[in-house]
Amino acid sequence: MTDEQFLFPAGFLWGVAGAAHQIEGGNSNSDCWLLEHIPGAPFAEPSGDACDHYHRYPDDIALISSLGFNTYRFSIEWARIEPEEGEFSHAALEHYRRMLITCHEHNLTPIVTYHHFTSPRWFAAKGGWEISANAEYFARYCERATAALGDLIGAGCTLNEPNVGLLIQEGGHMPSDDEIVKAPFRVAAAKAVGSDTFSAFPACCRHRDARDTFLKAHRLAFDVIKAGPGDFPVGMTLAMADRQALPGSEDVRDRARHEIDDVFLDVARDDDYIGVQTYTRSRYGAEGPLPPEEGVERTQMGYEFWPEALEATIRYAADYTGLPVIVTENGIGTQDDMRRIEYVRRALQGVQRCLSDGIAVRGYCYWSVFDNFEWGFGYRPQFGLIAVDRITQTRTLKPSAEWLGRVARTNTL
Ligand code: BGC
């Protein structure tokens, strides 16, 4: 059988992914919005209107479906659903119910992420994820959201990439835990919310402390979501890299992997699936992580063009946990849409090899549906299958959207 004829399993989830803060626009009650407006905080520009998906979701969802996809992964926004501690917004929940109904009307399985980095300001003012007891707030929010939405959810992700801060810190692209406590923008943010602390994930967070809270929050959330209406698989998603060691440096690599991935994978073992998200590889030498080699192709994010990371991380996560895998994110920030197609083609060839070896890969969600707010980088990186005019909000399909839509429709590569 040639690669061109490879048929993916019946019912394979073919999706696109997005996250509330990055596409909805006007998420002004969130910790991230506040930080975006604090001088010195690490944001190239504020998120502003983003893709105005909060208002344009009916057309956007119809467009996703018309391309050939059968799945849409999006996040619901805690800062909208619980704008003040213990105060839940029925209007916000109704909004997300309408979004879910719209997905079903267009034959899209909705994968709902309960937390994709952003939290309400009040939560950040209580120390956010750095404080173990705060896990209970997250569980209460998940319980309320599931009570309102659970009957319509196709699959649930509690937390998006709770390990991403550790991953970025490892590469030296984020202040250390010690530095962050003293960062002037953190002090200013705390002042702005009338607190003596402010912890916002991932840009302004002590990640070692947050890790324990996340692990606890995930288990609490998993239980309340499973106890609510609906009967759908629940898991978490992790930021994974294809971790490669130079000969003799395997123990350096394994130690890093233990701290950043395995402690989460251990806790995920009791879930229904594991969400794999990957973009590149990390190489390790005797001293630790190494930068990409001279001359290798890099994406707009600065890291190496390495689509083979997907096969490696699926194999690792499946082998470690014994769980089915959903690729909840994979993609590339590039101006050159032909490189995007090449990246995804090679990544999907890796998925094929995993499937051929009997690994239970249930679906693939491309990140991202739109060119969107790429956190600290602002709107410069172009991850989208669909371009968005920043003023008119006009959506323009890229060739990759049609290409991946055809792969999805025909279930073949
Ligand atoms: C995150 C997304 C982000 C993407 C591309 C993932 O770490 O879940 O929010 O936009 O990678 O960098």
Side-chain angles (χ1 to χ4, degrees):
M1 186 184 278
T2 67
D3 282 346
E4 276 67 35
Q5 293 163 324
F6 185 94
L7 190 61
F8 284 79
F12 194 79
L13 299 170
W14 286 107
V16 285
H21 190 78
Q22 294 177 270
I23 58 175
E24 284 183 346
N27 190 22
S28 56
N29 191 44
S30 65
D31 51 0
C32 192
W33 180 283
L34 185 132
L35 268 190
E36 289 161 26
H37 295 87
I38 299 276
F43 288 89
E45 57 187 317
S47 52
D49 288 339
C51 305
D52 195 24
H53 185 63
Y54 198 81
H55 300 107
R56 292 168 195 260
Y57 75 86
D59 288 348
D60 289 343
I61 289 173
L63 181 60
I64 292 166
S65 168
S66 73
L67 285 167
F69 296 100
N70 61 25
T71 300
Y72 179 33
R73 174 178 177 237
F74 62 93
S75 70
I76 56 175
E77 180 53 58
W78 186 8
R80 294 187 195 275
I81 293 175
E82 191 180 359
E84 294 295 341
E85 183 194 333
E87 195 177 311
F88 288 86
S89 164
H90 297 285
L93 288 166
E94 266 309 303
H95 169 85
Y96 291 118
R97 242 192 115 72
R98 286 194 298 275
M99 273 187 82
L100 288 162
I101 290 168
T102 309
C103 286
H104 289 289
E105 284 170 354
H106 289 88
N107 299 315
L108 294 171
T109 297
I111 302 183
V112 170
T113 309
Y114 286 74
H115 187 269
H116 195 122
F117 295 174
T118 46
S119 303
R121 287 177 187 217
W122 62 261
F123 182 76
K126 284 178 180 292
W129 297 102
E130 293 174 14
I131 308 297
S132 173
N134 288 352
E136 304 280 350
Y137 292 117
F138 179 64
R140 179 176 63 176
Y141 147 71
C142 289
E143 188 173 11
R144 292 293 285 262
T146 308
L149 309 173
D151 58 319
L152 296 170
I153 294 177
C157 308
T158 56
L159 298 164
N160 181 70
E161 298 187 346
N163 65 337
V164 76
L166 296 165
L167 184 77
I168 303 174
Q169 268 182 344
E170 177 193 47
H173 306 299
M174 201 179 248
S176 69
D177 281 9
D178 288 343
E179 286 161 349
I180 205 69
V181 185
K182 291 174 257 148
F185 65 85
R186 173 158 157 145
V187 175
K191 200 164 163 219
V193 293
S195 171
D196 56 6
T197 186
F198 184 91
S199 177
F201 184 81
C204 181
C205 183
R206 281 158 47 205
H207 290 286
R208 291 279 148 177
D209 295 336
R211 183 173 64 185
D212 296 337
T213 312
F214 278 133
L215 293 172
K216 178 173 160 191
H218 172 68
R219 287 266 54 93
L220 291 172
F222 181 91
D223 288 346
V224 298
I225 295 170
K226 293 303 269 190
D231 182 17
F232 50 90
V234 178
M236 71 166 125
T237 77
L238 290 180
M240 301 188 71
D242 175 2
R243 298 182 187 278
Q244 303 181 350
L246 297 190
S249 299
E250 289 79 3
D251 57 331
V252 179
R253 186 262 322 269
D254 292 350
R255 268 199 304 277
R257 183 149 60 191
H258 175 78
E259 292 290 306
I260 301 173
D261 301 342
D262 297 353
V263 288
F264 287 96
L265 292 172
D266 283 331
V267 164
R269 278 195 175 117
D270 294 328
D271 295 351
D272 298 322
Y273 74 91
I274 179 74
V276 167
Q277 313 199 155
T278 193
Y279 292 88
T280 191
R281 67 171 166 175
S282 304
R283 296 159 56 253
Y284 293 84
E287 304 302 320
L290 299 167
E293 279 171 308
E294 276 298 304
V296 298
E297 179 177 351
R298 295 188 187 223
T299 74
Q300 284 176 323
M301 301 295 282
Y303 43 64
E304 185 176 355
F305 181 99
W306 188 256
E308 286 66 33
L310 188 56
E311 176 176 359
T313 50
I314 291 173
R315 287 184 189 279
Y316 188 79
D319 184 53
Y320 194 100
T321 62
L323 293 172
V325 169
I326 302 178
V327 178
T328 36
E329 280 184 30
N330 177 243
I332 175 173
T334 180
Q335 227 178 344
D336 181 349
D337 201 48
M338 292 303 116
R339 294 310 286 157
R340 187 182 332 278
I341 292 176
E342 177 62 11
Y343 183 94
V344 178
R345 188 200 310 278
R346 274 164 55 181
L348 287 174
Q349 285 168 347
V351 174
Q352 291 178 346
R353 288 188 288 273
C354 292
L355 287 164
S356 300
D357 287 346
I359 299 173
V361 188
R362 301 281 191 246
Y364 176 91
C365 296
Y366 178 78
W367 181 276
S368 174
V369 55
F370 299 120
D371 286 341
N372 65 22
F373 181 68
E374 180 53 36
W375 307 109
F377 292 83
Y379 289 96
R380 189 180 58 81
Q382 294 146 295
F383 278 90
L385 298 177
I386 302 171
V388 178
D389 184 288
R390 300 246 34 80
I391 307 293
T392 64
Q393 294 289 351
T394 306
R395 276 65 169 140
T396 305
L397 297 182
K398 301 181 191 177
S400 56
E402 319 256 15
W403 177 81
L404 190 56
R406 187 182 51 73
V407 171
R409 228 178 6 257
T410 56
N411 209 25
T412 58
L413 184 64

